[in-house]
Amino acid sequence: MKFLLFTFVGVVHLFSLNSGKAIYKNDISRRTFQEIKEEIARYKDVAKAIINLAVYGKAQNRSYERLALLVDTVGPRPSGSKSLEKAIQIMYRNLQEDGLENVHLEPVKIPHWERGEESAVMLEPRVHKMAILGLGSSIGTPPEGITAEVLVVTSFEELQRRAPEARGKIVVYNQPYVNYSKTVQYRVQGAVEAAKVGALASLIRSVASFSIYSPHTGIQEYQDGVPKIPTACITVEDAEMISRMASRGNRIVIQLKMGAKNYPDADSFNTVAEIIGSKYPEQVVLVSGHLDSWDVGQGAMDDGGGAFISWEALSLIKDLGLRPKRTLRLVLWTAEEQGGIGGFQYYQLHK
């Protein structure tokens, strides 16, 4: 859930302000921090009513039950798949039946990539079948696969230092996990950097702080002018083992087979619903999550949870008969996993 967009009107003007100091917005409104605190405090009863409905009332567990029904019924929802479009149509009907306003679909063109069959087998110094997951948008291998010696590196800097050794090999990144934002660059850029030095394929260590022999998938990006090579993720355990073997001077050979294919962009939709504001309808508070998921899980938390919590926010307000001053807009993004495609096209349409 990486591309959620929230617009909080006026909140930015509160940052770095001390109590009692005047707040200026375009030299029009002059309100003290204390006055704003007092206004917020007047919503105490409304906030309590929302909490009671969600936690103790008829809406208790509702968002969980709604989410469970969708993921159990539809399952994985990868970009370009029939299951994603089925989920979008289900949500479109659900939002209409929930009595929300301005329920509609906004067309988006999205990538269509399919994994196919895939395998990785270490042939030397011993035979070992490894768990792998191809990375999103990766090309496939020839039907016979790619069989090559391995070069193990821990960073892009080490890859550059050892560039002459990489030609004709499979680069294995055993990058240490620092944090997600820093370490994920090896997933996103690993294939391009390996291809630049003549590698035939690349494998990355799962971008995770903990593993139970669990490979992770995610988007990777090719670069114009750089050869496209197959790329996949292996487990932390296998990456560490291969690294130990390399440190002993073992010759390591892997056979990689990937049936991945990229298809022409598919038609899809962002799904939108609103509660129209009573006083400032042109001002929008946006709550959102994405409906698509990768193909190897049902996307219950990435990002079914975010999508259904956002829906629930509107449902609770509607059920209590409340009408916010500003328009509350729900957007369920499509193709977030492919790089925020739905969010980007929404921005282009509404900017």
Side-chain angles (χ1 to χ4, degrees), residues 120-122 124 130-132 148-156 158-159 162 165-176 186-187 190-191 193-195 197 199-206 229-246 252-256:
V121 180
M122 183 169 64
E124 297 182 33
M130 299 188 293
I132 70 163
E149 191 174 344
V150 162
L151 172 67
V152 182
V153 297
T154 58
S155 66
F156 291 142
E158 182 181 359
L159 178 62
R162 302 179 64 185
E165 303 174 57
R167 183 164 296 280
K169 294 182 180 177
I170 297 174
V171 169
V172 172
Y173 293 98
N174 185 35
Q175 77 284 350
Y186 289 92
R187 192 194 75 206
E193 295 304 316
V197 293
L200 300 179
S202 68
L203 299 172
I204 69 158
R205 165 179 167 159
S206 280
I229 61 174
T231 182
C233 183
I234 60 175
T235 66
V236 171
E237 293 89 336
D238 280 342
E240 290 281 6
M241 179 183 68
I242 292 170
S243 184
R244 291 194 301 271
M245 290 175 170
I252 306 164
V253 175
I254 287 177
Q255 181 187 65
L256 177 67

Side-chain angles (χ1 to χ4, degrees), residues 94-260:
N94 285 344
L95 297 175
Q96 288 179 314
E97 291 169 2
D98 198 28
L100 299 176
E101 300 165 329
N102 195 22
V103 178
H104 65 280
L105 301 176
E106 297 185 356
V108 179
K109 281 286 188 180
I110 63 174
H112 181 190
W113 174 81
E114 294 184 6
R115 173 180 310 283
E117 296 294 324
E118 53 190 16
S119 65
V121 180
M122 183 169 64
L123 302 177
E124 297 182 33
R126 67 179 177 89
V127 175
H128 170 59
K129 185 176 181 180
M130 299 188 293
I132 70 163
L133 282 177
L135 298 181
S137 79
S138 174
I139 65 169
T141 65
E144 68 276 13
I146 294 173
T147 302
E149 191 174 344
V150 162
L151 172 67
V152 182
V153 297
T154 58
S155 66
F156 291 142
E157 292 74 20
E158 182 181 359
L159 178 62
Q160 290 302 313
R161 291 196 306 270
R162 302 179 64 185
E165 303 174 57
R167 183 164 296 280
K169 294 182 180 177
I170 297 174
V171 169
V172 172
Y173 293 98
N174 185 35
Q175 77 284 350
Y177 183 85
V178 179
N179 55 52
Y180 184 80
S181 61
K182 185 175 180 63
T183 312
V184 77
Q185 65 181 317
Y186 289 92
R187 192 194 75 206
V188 177
Q189 304 170 21
V192 165
E193 295 304 316
K196 286 178 180 178
V197 293
L200 300 179
S202 68
L203 299 172
I204 69 158
R205 165 179 167 159
S206 280
V207 183
S209 58
F210 177 79
S211 175
I212 48 173
Y213 204 67
S214 46
H216 295 218
T217 193
I219 193 65
Q220 64 86 35
E221 297 176 353
Y222 290 123
Q223 184 176 311
D224 291 342
V226 178
K228 295 180 180 180
I229 61 174
T231 182
C233 183
I234 60 175
T235 66
V236 171
E237 293 89 336
D238 280 342
E240 290 281 6
M241 179 183 68
I242 292 170
S243 184
R244 291 194 301 271
M245 290 175 170
S247 69
R248 300 185 192 113
N250 294 131
R251 181 175 185 266
I252 306 164
V253 175
I254 287 177
Q255 181 187 65
L256 177 67
K257 292 184 178 182
M258 295 175 60

Side-chain angles (χ1 to χ4, degrees), residues 41-52:
R42 290 199 291 270
Y43 287 97
K44 179 179 178 179
D45 290 342
V46 172
K48 185 176 181 180
I50 293 172
I51 292 168
N52 286 339

